[in-house]
Amino acid sequence: MSTDEIRAIELLRRVSYGRVATSMRAMPFVAPARHIVADGRVLLRMHQGLDYHRACNGSVVAYGADNLNSGSENLWSVQFTGTAEIVEPTAGELAAFGPEPETVDGEPFVPVFMRIEPQFVTVHALDYTSETPTAPAATPSVRRHLHHVA
């Protein structure tokens, strides 16, 4: 496993939810999912009732997560791209997911689990520093830097 993949997995473990993207009937879509990392692969828990898992199963998907709404000055985003497969999680993996939502869009939550075997991993780090000199002098500004690691 490369240094970038190790860093991406480390960051992914810091948040619980992300978004899976693929296409369904030739149209792109993005769906929320709960994730854990097990054996270097991303395991997703989704709601079966939305049928998104059917479009993902056997297809190449992208799964992304971030801390963009955390309020942190050190923001990051990771993306894992690979083939998704419906799986039955182990007892340990089920425990790692924690509690399930009661409902999704008003319907009872029925879990379905998918594993992504990463073939391509990206990490983006956004570094914010404050008080970069600008005019007028009394107004602090923000300098933004986006670092991409692939």
Side-chain angles (χ1 to χ4, degrees):
M1 194 176 291
S2 74
T3 303
D4 295 336
E5 290 171 324
I6 292 167
R7 177 72 176 139
I9 287 170
E10 175 187 301
L11 291 170
L12 192 63
R13 286 184 170 138
R14 295 181 185 183
V15 296
S16 299
Y17 286 87
R19 292 157 216 88
V20 63
T22 194
S23 63
M24 187 164 50
R25 295 185 294 278
M27 299 296 290
F29 77 89
V30 177
R34 169 78 169 94
H35 67 262
I36 62 169
V37 178
D39 299 323
R41 295 176 290 182
V42 180
L43 184 62
L44 306 181
R45 180 179 72 192
M46 302 173 68
H47 175 51
Q48 188 176 27
L50 299 175
D51 272 345
Y52 294 147
H53 64 287
R54 292 183 196 275
C56 295
N57 191 36
S59 298
V60 173
V61 302
Y63 184 73
D66 57 60
N67 74 338
L68 301 180
N69 290 325
S70 69
S72 173
E73 291 180 5
N74 299 311
L75 300 176
W76 55 264
S77 174
V78 298
Q79 179 175 297
F80 293 79
T81 304
T83 304
E85 176 185 15
I86 294 173
V87 296
E88 287 297 321
T90 66
E93 290 168 342
L94 282 173
F97 274 110
E100 297 177 349
E102 292 181 24
T103 63
V104 173
D105 296 337
E107 296 182 14
F109 180 77
V110 177
V112 63
F113 299 89
M114 299 186 44
R115 188 173 314 276
I116 300 172
E117 185 73 44
Q119 297 164 5
F120 183 68
V121 177
T122 58
V123 178
H124 297 286
L126 291 82
D127 302 324
Y128 284 80
T129 57
S130 60
E131 303 200 359
T132 302
T134 62
T139 306
S141 68
V142 175
R143 181 177 38 200
R144 299 174 188 207
H145 301 280
L146 173 65
H147 302 283
H148 169 74
V149 179

